[in-house]
Amino acid sequence: NKESGPAAFIWDATNGMRELAQVLTDLGVDLTNWRLLKACAISADGLTITGYGTNPSGNQEAWIATIP
């Protein structure tokens, strides 16, 4: 989603800072009409992330993503 405004990002030493929605889309997750606004917490291994965003209905909703 290339709209301007808040977006959730992740960072690691190998890849630097990346927009989380793009990372998940590259992994095959369908985020059509979702907008990930904020990542709020991340696991110690950096692979499970929680946050909130706007769902396809336009409502704010929490999300959890696990990166393989």
Side-chain angles (χ1 to χ4, degrees):
N1 189 342
K2 298 298 178 193
E3 295 179 30
S4 62
F9 285 84
I10 61 171
W11 179 91
D12 65 62
T14 302
N15 300 296
M17 186 161 43
R18 299 175 290 161
E19 189 171 347
L20 182 57
Q22 186 62 57
V23 172
L24 296 174
T25 299
D26 291 348
L27 291 169
V29 177
D30 181 5
L31 291 175
T32 302
N33 296 321
W34 267 91
R35 183 133 189 245
L36 305 183
L37 299 173
K38 185 172 184 177
C40 297
I42 190 165
S43 62
D45 65 5
L47 299 178
T48 301
I49 305 160
T50 62
Y52 65 87
T54 305
N55 68 22
S57 297
N59 299 312
Q60 203 167 78
E61 185 174 329
W63 51 262
I64 185 169
T66 302
I67 298 172

